[in-house]
Amino acid sequence: METKTKETGTKKTVTRQKASNKDVKDQLTKEATGNANGTEKTKEAKAPVVVPKISIDSRIQKFEKLRGLATNRERLNQTLGELTKFNYNQDGSSSFYIRDSHGLEFKTTNSNLINLVTTQLQNTLEERKSEFEQEILAFEL
């Protein structure tokens, strides 16, 4: 693109030449390829991607880990199902027991406390189930 300026007396006239479509296309192509200054980049040979060989023992170990994650998720699903049945089928006369390894025991029949504990337990189990599912989806053999 070229700009020409003419001065005639007190009047200054500016005329511009239009660039051809080919010139515009060439310039845009150069800019898009990072070649705006007109020099061509030399094509570099790409190194082939090398996939590391995985030993059979390593692959079996990863498979076992995935199976363990799936088993844990299934157990969580069963526990959540049982807890949901308990929450919807209790008649208000439930008892809640906690017993430790020394034989000490906590027992309550307070339905409000039982509802709080089961709700918190259900939320925790659902979060853990979601974590297992994310870990399974992200797992690579």
Side-chain angles (χ1 to χ4, degrees):
M1 195 180 290
E2 189 177 311
T3 304
K4 293 182 182 178
T5 306
K6 286 184 186 177
E7 264 188 64
T8 54
T10 59
K11 201 174 186 183
K12 190 175 186 182
T13 309
V14 177
T15 58
R16 293 189 177 142
Q17 288 182 340
K18 289 187 177 180
S20 70
N21 284 340
K22 184 175 182 341
D23 293 338
V24 172
K25 285 180 186 177
D26 289 345
Q27 182 64 28
L28 290 174
T29 302
K30 287 178 183 178
E31 289 174 6
T33 60
N35 210 4
N37 60 2
T39 61
E40 285 196 30
K41 291 182 180 179
T42 58
K43 293 185 180 180
E44 297 176 16
K46 293 183 180 178
V49 177
V50 178
V51 179
K53 291 251 181 188
I54 300 174
S55 71
I56 190 78
D57 292 332
S58 174
R59 192 164 178 91
I60 289 171
Q61 200 172 30
K62 286 183 178 184
F63 180 75
E64 290 299 325
K65 183 178 179 184
L66 181 60
R67 187 184 313 186
L69 289 171
T71 301
N72 288 344
R73 182 194 170 276
E74 186 60 34
R75 275 191 282 166
L76 261 173
N77 245 358
Q78 289 173 347
T79 303
L80 274 168
E82 292 170 13
L83 190 58
T84 301
K85 285 180 199 175
F86 175 79
N87 283 337
Y88 289 109
N89 293 325
Q90 65 178 328
D91 59 358
S93 62
S94 303
S95 297
F96 184 73
Y97 293 92
I98 300 175
R99 182 177 300 141
D100 70 2
S101 62
H102 299 291
L104 298 174
E105 188 176 280
F106 170 77
K107 175 185 171 186
T108 186
T109 56
N110 182 340
S111 60
N112 289 331
L113 180 61
I114 293 172
N115 283 336
L116 283 172
V117 170
T118 55
T119 301
Q120 182 62 39
L121 182 59
Q122 187 162 6
N123 290 339
T124 302
L125 291 174
E126 286 173 352
E127 285 177 24
R128 188 66 181 131
K129 178 184 168 193
S130 176
E131 290 171 8
F132 274 126
E133 290 171 348
Q134 292 300 318
E135 202 170 335
I136 289 169
L137 290 174
F139 194 86
E140 290 183 26
L141 277 178

XYZ file of all heavy atoms in Angstrom, residues 21-100:
634
model
N -6.111 -7.625 -3.891
C -6.565 -8.721 -3.041
C -5.442 -9.728 -2.786
O -5.313 -10.266 -1.699
C -7.754 -9.439 -3.672
C -9.033 -8.647 -3.532
O -9.124 -7.781 -2.676
N -10.001 -8.939 -4.386
N -4.628 -9.955 -3.794
C -3.539 -10.915 -3.646
C -2.535 -10.421 -2.607
O -2.062 -11.189 -1.774
C -2.849 -11.148 -4.986
C -1.762 -12.214 -4.920
C -1.212 -12.471 -6.291
C -0.167 -13.522 -6.364
N 0.535 -13.939 -5.244
N -2.218 -9.117 -2.643
C -1.282 -8.562 -1.663
C -1.828 -8.694 -0.246
O -1.106 -9.037 0.688
C -0.990 -7.086 -1.959
C -0.215 -6.896 -3.253
O 0.444 -7.866 -3.692
O -0.268 -5.773 -3.810
N -3.108 -8.433 -0.075
C -3.739 -8.534 1.248
C -3.720 -9.978 1.726
O -3.364 -10.265 2.875
C -5.186 -7.982 1.219
C -5.904 -8.274 2.522
C -5.171 -6.486 0.937
N -4.068 -10.901 0.845
C -4.058 -12.318 1.215
C -2.657 -12.777 1.596
O -2.473 -13.498 2.567
C -4.583 -13.188 0.058
C -6.069 -13.117 -0.127
C -6.493 -14.001 -1.280
C -7.964 -13.844 -1.582
N -8.375 -14.634 -2.744
N -1.676 -12.355 0.820
C -0.287 -12.736 1.128
C 0.135 -12.195 2.489
O 0.773 -12.892 3.280
C 0.665 -12.232 0.039
C 0.528 -12.990 -1.275
O -0.088 -14.091 -1.254
O 1.019 -12.493 -2.309
N -0.208 -10.938 2.774
C 0.161 -10.335 4.050
C -0.520 -11.060 5.208
O 0.105 -11.350 6.228
C -0.212 -8.838 4.063
C 0.177 -8.114 5.316
C 1.684 -8.063 5.528
O 2.466 -8.087 4.593
N 2.096 -8.009 6.777
N -1.807 -11.362 5.073
C -2.535 -12.080 6.126
C -1.965 -13.479 6.335
O -1.846 -13.945 7.463
C -4.028 -12.150 5.806
C -4.790 -10.829 5.895
C -6.223 -11.006 5.404
C -4.778 -10.298 7.318
N -1.586 -14.130 5.251
C -0.991 -15.462 5.364
C 0.326 -15.404 6.110
O 0.595 -16.223 6.991
C -0.767 -16.076 3.965
O -2.007 -16.123 3.282
C -0.185 -17.470 4.060
N 1.124 -14.409 5.796
C 2.401 -14.255 6.479
C 2.206 -13.988 7.965
O 2.910 -14.536 8.806
C 3.210 -13.117 5.853
C 3.780 -13.461 4.504
C 4.514 -12.279 3.922
C 5.026 -12.583 2.530
N 5.698 -11.405 1.942
N 1.228 -13.132 8.291
C 0.967 -12.834 9.703
C 0.444 -14.055 10.445
O 0.807 -14.305 11.587
C -0.027 -11.685 9.827
C 0.551 -10.347 9.427
C -0.478 -9.238 9.424
O -1.634 -9.474 9.852
O -0.132 -8.130 8.990
N -0.410 -14.815 9.790
C -0.995 -15.999 10.434
C 0.047 -17.082 10.679
O -0.028 -17.805 11.671
C -2.136 -16.561 9.588
N 1.015 -17.178 9.802
C 2.046 -18.204 9.976
C 3.237 -17.696 10.756
O 4.235 -18.395 10.899
C 2.525 -18.736 8.604
O 3.053 -17.646 7.860
C 1.424 -19.441 7.860
N 3.133 -16.473 11.266
C 4.228 -15.927 12.059
C 5.386 -15.501 11.175
O 6.526 -15.470 11.582
N 5.069 -15.169 9.974
C 6.083 -14.859 8.995
C 5.861 -13.443 8.456
O 5.975 -13.203 7.278
C 5.991 -15.885 7.871
C 7.311 -16.146 7.223
O 8.314 -15.617 7.650
N 7.298 -16.957 6.176
N 5.522 -12.484 9.333
C 5.146 -11.139 8.930
C 6.307 -10.355 8.332
O 6.111 -9.458 7.543
C 4.563 -10.377 10.105
N 7.521 -10.683 8.706
C 8.656 -9.929 8.189
C 9.108 -10.411 6.810
O 10.052 -9.886 6.255
C 9.828 -9.958 9.182
C 10.313 -11.362 9.461
O 9.813 -12.321 8.890
N 11.285 -11.474 10.350
N 8.461 -11.421 6.274
C 8.747 -11.854 4.920
C 9.759 -12.968 4.818
O 9.932 -13.537 3.755
N 10.438 -13.285 5.877
C 11.389 -14.389 5.811
C 10.663 -15.675 6.118
O 9.809 -15.720 6.992
C 12.543 -14.199 6.814
O 11.993 -14.155 8.117
C 13.314 -12.940 6.527
N 10.996 -16.708 5.409
C 10.329 -17.982 5.643
C 11.038 -18.762 6.723
O 12.259 -18.769 6.788
C 10.300 -18.810 4.356
C 9.290 -18.305 3.367
C 9.013 -19.336 2.303
O 9.112 -20.545 2.582
O 8.701 -18.925 1.185
N 10.236 -19.389 7.538
C 10.805 -20.255 8.566
C 11.160 -21.581 7.927
O 10.449 -22.075 7.061
C 9.791 -20.527 9.688
C 9.478 -19.329 10.520
C 8.525 -19.733 11.612
C 8.176 -18.562 12.498
N 7.233 -18.919 13.539
N 12.257 -22.127 8.374
C 12.608 -23.453 7.879
C 11.817 -24.474 8.657
O 11.616 -24.337 9.865
C 14.113 -23.727 8.050
O 14.427 -23.592 9.418
C 14.940 -22.761 7.225
N 11.339 -25.450 7.962
C 10.549 -26.479 8.630
C 11.475 -27.389 9.405
O 12.446 -27.906 8.858
C 9.747 -27.287 7.612
C 8.673 -26.460 6.951
C 7.833 -27.316 6.040
C 6.761 -26.473 5.386
N 5.920 -27.247 4.508
N 11.150 -27.542 10.680
C 11.950 -28.403 11.529
C 11.338 -29.803 11.528
O 10.130 -29.955 11.570
C 11.973 -27.870 12.959
C 12.615 -26.510 13.072
C 12.539 -25.949 14.472
O 12.259 -26.723 15.411
O 12.743 -24.758 14.622
N 12.177 -30.780 11.497
C 11.703 -32.158 11.529
C 11.224 -32.475 12.935
O 11.908 -32.183 13.913
C 12.817 -33.111 11.119
N 10.033 -32.998 13.024
C 9.488 -33.357 14.335
C 10.042 -34.705 14.760
O 10.084 -35.637 13.970
C 7.961 -33.430 14.284
C 7.316 -32.092 14.050
C 5.813 -32.210 14.093
C 5.155 -30.880 13.872
N 3.707 -30.980 13.871
N 10.443 -34.735 16.026
C 10.942 -35.997 16.563
C 9.760 -36.929 16.789
O 8.704 -36.501 17.248
C 11.675 -35.755 17.872
N 9.897 -38.197 16.452
C 8.785 -39.124 16.667
C 8.499 -39.280 18.155
O 9.400 -39.247 18.979
C 9.281 -40.437 16.057
C 10.765 -40.311 16.024
C 11.068 -38.851 15.897
N 7.215 -39.396 18.462
C 6.800 -39.570 19.846
C 7.098 -41.000 20.258
O 6.656 -41.953 19.611
C 5.293 -39.280 20.004
C 4.842 -39.525 21.425
C 5.001 -37.856 19.580
N 7.855 -41.142 21.317
C 8.233 -42.460 21.793
C 7.322 -42.827 22.961
O 7.250 -42.115 23.951
C 9.713 -42.481 22.255
C 10.078 -43.845 22.794
C 10.614 -42.082 21.110
N 6.590 -43.899 22.784
C 5.713 -44.394 23.840
C 6.509 -45.375 24.678
O 7.026 -46.365 24.153
C 4.468 -45.085 23.237
C 3.572 -45.617 24.333
C 3.716 -44.134 22.338
N 6.630 -45.082 25.978
C 7.425 -45.988 26.808
C 6.757 -47.352 26.929
O 5.538 -47.453 27.014
C 7.489 -45.286 28.155
C 6.319 -44.363 28.162
C 6.054 -44.000 26.739
N 7.560 -48.375 26.915
C 7.053 -49.736 27.090
C 6.695 -49.937 28.546
O 7.447 -49.564 29.430
C 8.100 -50.758 26.667
C 8.364 -50.785 25.201
C 7.801 -52.024 24.641
C 8.091 -52.076 23.149
N 7.426 -53.155 22.537
N 5.537 -50.514 28.786
C 5.095 -50.799 30.144
C 5.225 -52.293 30.360
O 4.763 -53.091 29.546
C 3.634 -50.350 30.345
C 3.516 -48.850 30.103
C 3.142 -50.717 31.721
C 2.102 -48.332 30.131
N 5.835 -52.632 31.461
C 6.006 -54.057 31.737
C 4.659 -54.667 32.097
O 3.740 -53.989 32.533
C 6.997 -54.256 32.887
O 6.420 -53.837 34.101
N 4.564 -55.971 31.919
C 3.329 -56.686 32.218
C 2.994 -56.585 33.698
O 1.831 -56.438 34.068
C 3.398 -58.158 31.738
C 2.028 -58.842 31.835
C 4.422 -58.931 32.522
C 1.112 -58.465 30.743
N 4.023 -56.625 34.557
C 3.777 -56.526 36.002
C 3.209 -55.164 36.377
O 2.282 -55.067 37.180
C 5.077 -56.775 36.787
C 5.557 -58.220 36.663
O 4.692 -59.107 36.457
O 6.780 -58.447 36.769
N 3.743 -54.119 35.759
C 3.252 -52.769 36.025
C 1.803 -52.623 35.570
O 0.977 -52.030 36.266
C 4.136 -51.753 35.311
O 3.614 -50.461 35.434
N 1.495 -53.173 34.418
C 0.133 -53.090 33.876
C -0.850 -53.853 34.769
O -1.943 -53.384 35.040
C 0.115 -53.635 32.462
C -1.163 -53.334 31.740
C -0.959 -53.560 30.249
N -2.150 -53.337 29.508
C -2.490 -52.172 28.973
N -1.717 -51.142 29.104
N -3.599 -52.059 28.293
N -0.452 -55.035 35.229
C -1.306 -55.829 36.117
C -1.525 -55.088 37.427
O -2.636 -55.058 37.967
C -0.711 -57.228 36.349
C -0.822 -58.053 35.070
C -1.394 -57.940 37.512
C -0.087 -59.379 35.114
N -0.480 -54.453 37.939
C -0.584 -53.704 39.189
C -1.569 -52.534 39.038
O -2.396 -52.292 39.920
C 0.804 -53.185 39.565
C 0.962 -52.807 41.002
C 2.428 -52.502 41.315
O 3.183 -52.047 40.454
N 2.820 -52.764 42.538
N -1.497 -51.830 37.910
C -2.434 -50.731 37.661
C -3.863 -51.257 37.531
O -4.812 -50.645 38.014
C -2.037 -49.964 36.406
C -0.828 -49.091 36.598
C -0.534 -48.311 35.344
C 0.648 -47.384 35.539
N 0.879 -46.552 34.364
N -4.010 -52.412 36.875
C -5.330 -53.017 36.728
C -5.914 -53.374 38.093
O -7.095 -53.150 38.356
C -5.243 -54.255 35.831
C -6.560 -54.935 35.640
C -7.524 -54.389 34.804
C -6.852 -56.116 36.309
C -8.749 -55.015 34.636
C -8.072 -56.745 36.144
C -9.023 -56.189 35.307
N -5.090 -53.916 38.972
C -5.544 -54.274 40.320
C -5.966 -53.031 41.106
O -6.932 -53.066 41.861
C -4.456 -55.039 41.079
C -4.207 -56.433 40.546
C -5.423 -57.342 40.610
O -6.218 -57.229 41.576
O -5.600 -58.164 39.698
N -5.220 -51.943 40.920
C -5.589 -50.697 41.592
C -6.942 -50.206 41.098
O -7.798 -49.791 41.891
C -4.526 -49.624 41.351
C -4.822 -48.330 42.073
C -3.736 -47.302 41.865
C -4.108 -46.011 42.587
N -3.145 -44.953 42.358
N -7.168 -50.277 39.792
C -8.452 -49.870 39.223
C -9.574 -50.766 39.742
O -10.661 -50.286 40.083
C -8.399 -49.918 37.695
C -9.665 -49.500 36.957
C -10.036 -48.064 37.291
C -9.476 -49.663 35.454
N -9.314 -52.061 39.830
C -10.317 -52.992 40.360
C -10.636 -52.656 41.816
O -11.791 -52.695 42.232
C -9.825 -54.433 40.258
C -10.908 -55.428 40.652
C -10.455 -56.843 40.668
N -9.715 -57.199 39.470
C -9.309 -58.424 39.213
N -9.543 -59.400 40.052
N -8.635 -58.697 38.116
N -9.611 -52.303 42.588
C -9.817 -51.906 43.983
C -10.674 -50.660 44.091
O -11.571 -50.572 44.944
N -10.428 -49.674 43.223
C -11.246 -48.457 43.221
C -12.705 -48.781 42.891
O -13.628 -48.256 43.522
C -10.700 -47.450 42.211
C -9.388 -46.764 42.549
C -8.869 -45.976 41.348
C -9.553 -45.853 43.747
N -12.898 -49.660 41.913
C -14.261 -50.037 41.527
C -14.960 -50.795 42.662
O -16.145 -50.579 42.922
C -14.224 -50.884 40.258
N -14.222 -51.662 43.360
C -14.795 -52.410 44.483
C -15.181 -51.467 45.618
O -16.274 -51.595 46.195
C -13.783 -53.459 44.992
O -13.460 -54.337 43.909
C -14.343 -54.266 46.143
N -14.316 -50.524 45.930
C -14.634 -49.546 46.980
C -15.857 -48.714 46.621
O -16.699 -48.433 47.475
C -13.440 -48.624 47.231
C -12.316 -49.323 47.943
O -12.497 -50.388 48.521
N -11.125 -48.742 47.871
N -15.976 -48.327 45.356
C -17.143 -47.561 44.915
C -18.418 -48.394 45.064
O -19.443 -47.902 45.505
C -16.963 -47.125 43.468
C -18.115 -46.278 42.976
C -18.099 -46.124 41.464
N -19.312 -45.519 41.005
C -20.443 -46.170 40.772
N -20.521 -47.454 40.982
N -21.516 -45.539 40.346
N -18.327 -49.666 44.707
C -19.501 -50.548 44.812
C -19.937 -50.712 46.268
O -21.126 -50.670 46.578
C -19.200 -51.910 44.180
C -20.383 -52.831 44.117
C -21.532 -52.262 43.301
O -21.291 -51.556 42.314
O -22.696 -52.518 43.682
N -18.960 -50.886 47.168
C -19.305 -50.997 48.598
C -19.942 -49.717 49.110
O -20.904 -49.750 49.879
C -18.058 -51.324 49.417
C -17.775 -52.810 49.449
C -16.723 -53.121 50.467
N -15.438 -52.756 49.854
C -14.296 -52.635 50.489
N -14.236 -52.815 51.774
N -13.197 -52.335 49.845
N -19.414 -48.577 48.688
C -20.006 -47.298 49.075
C -21.444 -47.188 48.571
O -22.325 -46.702 49.280
C -19.188 -46.144 48.493
C -18.208 -45.463 49.406
C -17.374 -44.460 48.642
C -18.883 -44.795 50.554
N -21.667 -47.651 47.351
C -23.018 -47.637 46.783
C -23.977 -48.469 47.624
O -25.113 -48.057 47.891
C -22.983 -48.182 45.356
C -23.346 -47.148 44.336
O -23.660 -46.016 44.668
N -23.276 -47.545 43.084
N -23.530 -49.654 48.035
C -24.373 -50.516 48.871
C -24.663 -49.862 50.217
O -25.803 -49.878 50.696
C -23.698 -51.873 49.083
C -23.668 -52.730 47.843
C -22.840 -53.991 48.044
O -22.101 -54.133 49.002
N -22.967 -54.922 47.099
N -23.648 -49.284 50.839
C -23.834 -48.620 52.129
C -24.794 -47.452 51.995
O -25.670 -47.251 52.849
C -22.472 -48.132 52.681
O -21.596 -49.255 52.775
C -22.622 -47.492 54.038
N -24.654 -46.665 50.924
C -25.567 -45.543 50.698
C -27.003 -46.031 50.506
O -27.949 -45.416 51.005
C -25.135 -44.739 49.471
C -24.102 -43.654 49.716
C -23.545 -43.129 48.400
C -24.697 -42.522 50.522
N -27.175 -47.142 49.805
C -28.512 -47.707 49.613
C -29.139 -48.135 50.936
O -30.316 -47.853 51.197
N -28.347 -48.791 51.775
C -28.855 -49.217 53.084
C -29.196 -48.021 53.973
O -30.211 -48.012 54.665
C -27.828 -50.110 53.776
C -27.644 -51.455 53.098
C -26.458 -52.230 53.661
O -25.925 -51.847 54.721
O -26.071 -53.223 53.028
N -28.349 -47.000 53.932
C -28.593 -45.800 54.729
C -29.844 -45.069 54.250
O -30.633 -44.585 55.057
C -27.371 -44.878 54.658
C -27.346 -43.688 55.598
C -27.446 -44.134 57.057
C -26.071 -42.886 55.385
N -30.044 -45.028 52.948
C -31.237 -44.385 52.390
C -32.500 -45.139 52.813
O -33.500 -44.524 53.204
C -31.147 -44.322 50.852
O -29.968 -43.594 50.497
C -32.348 -43.636 50.245
N -32.450 -46.472 52.765
C -33.595 -47.274 53.237
C -33.881 -46.971 54.698
O -35.037 -46.804 55.097
C -33.310 -48.770 53.085
C -33.399 -49.282 51.693
C -33.098 -50.778 51.695
C -32.729 -51.279 50.342
N -32.325 -52.691 50.370
N -32.828 -46.901 55.506
C -32.999 -46.612 56.931
C -33.636 -45.240 57.124
O -34.575 -45.088 57.917
C -31.646 -46.663 57.652
C -31.728 -46.251 59.090
C -32.194 -47.128 60.057
C -31.357 -44.970 59.485
C -32.279 -46.746 61.382
C -31.436 -44.581 60.805
C -31.898 -45.469 61.763
N -33.158 -44.229 56.406
C -33.684 -42.871 56.562
C -35.161 -42.776 56.201
O -35.918 -42.063 56.853
C -32.895 -41.873 55.709
C -31.568 -41.513 56.311
O -31.361 -41.633 57.508
N -30.646 -41.069 55.475
N -35.589 -43.487 55.169
C -36.968 -43.372 54.715
C -37.915 -44.373 55.366
O -39.121 -44.214 55.284
C -37.039 -43.488 53.192
C -36.464 -42.269 52.524
C -35.258 -42.319 51.841
C -37.110 -41.043 52.598
C -34.719 -41.199 51.251
C -36.582 -39.910 52.011
C -35.389 -39.996 51.341
O -34.851 -38.880 50.759
N -37.393 -45.398 56.006
C -38.260 -46.416 56.580
C -38.276 -46.427 58.106
O -38.909 -47.290 58.696
C -37.851 -47.808 56.068
C -38.104 -47.950 54.587
O -39.064 -47.416 54.061
N -37.220 -48.658 53.904
N -37.586 -45.489 58.746
C -37.608 -45.496 60.205
C -38.941 -44.950 60.704
O -39.536 -44.071 60.105
C -36.423 -44.716 60.776
C -36.434 -43.238 60.474
C -35.262 -42.542 61.127
O -34.840 -42.960 62.180
N -34.765 -41.501 60.495
N -39.405 -45.508 61.801
C -40.708 -45.111 62.325
C -40.600 -44.215 63.554
O -41.578 -44.004 64.257
C -41.553 -46.357 62.638
C -40.867 -47.265 63.645
O -39.738 -46.962 64.068
O -41.469 -48.296 64.003
N -39.438 -43.688 63.833
C -39.276 -42.802 64.976
C -38.850 -43.520 66.237
O -38.601 -42.879 67.256
N -38.794 -44.838 66.202
C -38.388 -45.575 67.404
C -37.038 -46.256 67.168
O -36.850 -47.406 67.511
C -39.452 -46.613 67.776
O -39.581 -47.552 66.731
N -36.112 -45.519 66.586
C -34.791 -46.063 66.263
C -33.836 -45.879 67.436
O -34.005 -44.995 68.275
C -34.203 -45.339 65.057
O -35.069 -45.435 63.959
N -32.828 -46.722 67.451
C -31.743 -46.605 68.426
C -30.444 -46.507 67.668
O -30.263 -47.132 66.622
C -31.691 -47.823 69.347
O -32.857 -47.909 70.094
N -29.527 -45.735 68.221
C -28.226 -45.545 67.593
C -27.156 -45.989 68.580
O -27.119 -45.523 69.707
C -28.059 -44.061 67.228
C -26.798 -43.749 66.490
C -26.636 -44.115 65.168
C -25.772 -43.062 67.116
C -25.472 -43.814 64.486
C -24.609 -42.761 66.439
C -24.461 -43.136 65.125
N -26.299 -46.931 68.139
C -25.247 -47.469 69.002
C -23.888 -47.209 68.375
O -23.712 -47.376 67.159
C -25.371 -48.991 69.149
C -26.577 -49.467 69.896
C -27.747 -49.784 69.221
C -26.521 -49.635 71.267
C -28.854 -50.242 69.904
C -27.630 -50.093 71.954
C -28.795 -50.388 71.270
O -29.891 -50.840 71.951
N -22.937 -46.857 69.227
C -21.527 -46.795 68.819
C -20.756 -47.560 69.878
O -20.901 -47.314 71.072
C -21.002 -45.349 68.756
C -21.804 -44.520 67.753
C -19.524 -45.331 68.370
C -21.403 -43.056 67.728
N -19.942 -48.519 69.424
C -19.155 -49.328 70.363
C -17.702 -49.305 69.895
O -17.423 -49.527 68.718
C -19.673 -50.755 70.400
C -18.911 -51.631 71.400
C -19.462 -53.043 71.507
N -20.849 -52.990 71.943
C -21.811 -53.796 71.483
N -21.542 -54.708 70.584
N -23.037 -53.688 71.928
N -16.767 -49.059 70.819
C -15.352 -49.046 70.455
C -14.702 -50.393 70.760
O -15.361 -51.327 71.231
C -14.608 -47.878 71.124
C -14.453 -48.047 72.622
O -14.876 -49.077 73.180
O -13.896 -47.124 73.246
